[in-house]
Amino acid sequence: MSALFDRLSALFELGHREPIPDLLSDERFAVAERTAKAAVLIAVTDRAEPGVILTQRPTTMRDHPGQVAFPGGKLDSGEGPVEAALREAHEELALHPQHVQLIGTSDRYQTGTGFDITPVLGVVPPDLPLTAHPREVEAWFEVPLRVVFERSNWTENEVFWRGRTRRYLEMDWQGFRIWGVTAAIIANLSRRIEIEALLGE
């Protein structure tokens, strides 16, 4: 285990001891007729300036085409969120499960498109030779954890959707638009983990 893993594990456990009532969610927009359980892997890179690995989905995909996302997808029959997140990361990026030091599952996120997503947090070695599966991933990149955990780096926007005003967070990182579900999952996790304590500041 690494020093980053130890610090992140301790802060993760501390941050999840108490409920947070006003975490971001799109549950009120969800269409009840279409629901599916899913999981994503929040892979934090073990370096002096830790980053998080994100992907861009191909524009040809049925759900959330072209959007920035964590590696992940729907649970297969008999799978739990951890197994699904690890399997999907392996399928999408050739990120082998043996490279992931698991920390735990964080707050579930309900999407407006009917997905019930469980984020799975883990630490991975830096600079792994990842390879994007062409049908699953258009591109992948790494963004510093410090950048996405800093609330002032996000712009809050709103759109009228399904008869209601939906507010969402958005950030541009080197030409990649991080927003929507991925931004909300990051924002929720940032309320569980104190970034200054993690980075020793």
Side-chain angles (χ1 to χ4, degrees):
M1 299 302 174
S2 67
L4 174 66
F5 175 85
D6 292 340
R7 291 196 307 272
L8 190 54
S9 297
L11 291 168
F12 180 88
E13 193 278 330
L14 180 65
H16 284 78
R17 286 180 181 173
E18 300 293 336
I20 297 178
D22 57 344
L23 292 172
L24 299 177
S25 174
D26 277 337
E27 184 175 9
R28 63 198 174 108
F29 295 103
V31 177
E33 294 79 34
R34 184 190 177 214
T35 59
K37 292 187 181 298
V40 297
L41 180 65
I42 304 177
V44 176
T45 52
D46 192 355
R47 57 174 91 244
E49 183 68 46
V52 62
I53 294 172
L54 295 171
T55 69
Q56 183 172 41
R57 297 165 64 84
T59 56
T60 54
M61 299 197 80
R62 173 185 174 187
D63 295 301
H64 307 287
Q67 291 189 15
V68 167
F70 293 106
K74 290 188 287 188
L75 273 63
D76 284 346
S77 178
E79 271 187 331
V82 171
E83 292 82 5
L86 293 176
R87 173 182 55 76
E88 288 283 350
H90 190 215
E91 291 175 2
E92 293 179 10
L93 292 175
L95 174 52
H96 200 283
Q98 71 182 15
H99 291 308
V100 183
Q101 295 178 279
L102 289 169
I103 292 176
T105 59
S106 193
D107 303 284
R108 289 161 49 199
Y109 188 87
Q110 308 284 324
T111 77
T113 51
F115 289 97
D116 180 351
I117 303 173
T118 299
V120 177
L121 182 66
V123 174
V124 300
D127 306 316
L128 287 171
L130 302 180
T131 303
H133 190 297
R135 288 198 304 273
E136 302 271 350
V137 175
E138 184 78 23
W140 69 270
F141 61 100
E142 182 180 337
V143 58
L145 201 61
R146 182 200 307 271
V147 171
V148 293
F149 269 27
E150 175 52 57
R151 182 65 178 82
S152 64
N153 289 331
W154 294 94
T155 300
E156 185 171 343
N157 296 315
E158 60 181 44
V159 64
F160 194 71
W161 189 47
R162 294 183 179 171
R164 302 183 186 185
T165 298
R166 180 197 181 211
R167 293 181 173 83
Y168 62 91
L169 299 175
E170 182 174 3
M171 173 195 298
D172 179 84
W173 173 257
Q174 298 183 349
F176 291 100
R177 182 190 181 210
I178 309 171
W179 72 292
V181 172
T182 301
I185 290 174
I186 291 170
N188 287 345
L189 185 63
S190 73
R191 297 185 63 188
R192 296 292 191 183
I193 296 171
E194 181 60 52
I195 190 67
E196 288 81 8
L198 177 64
L199 300 179
E201 298 176 353

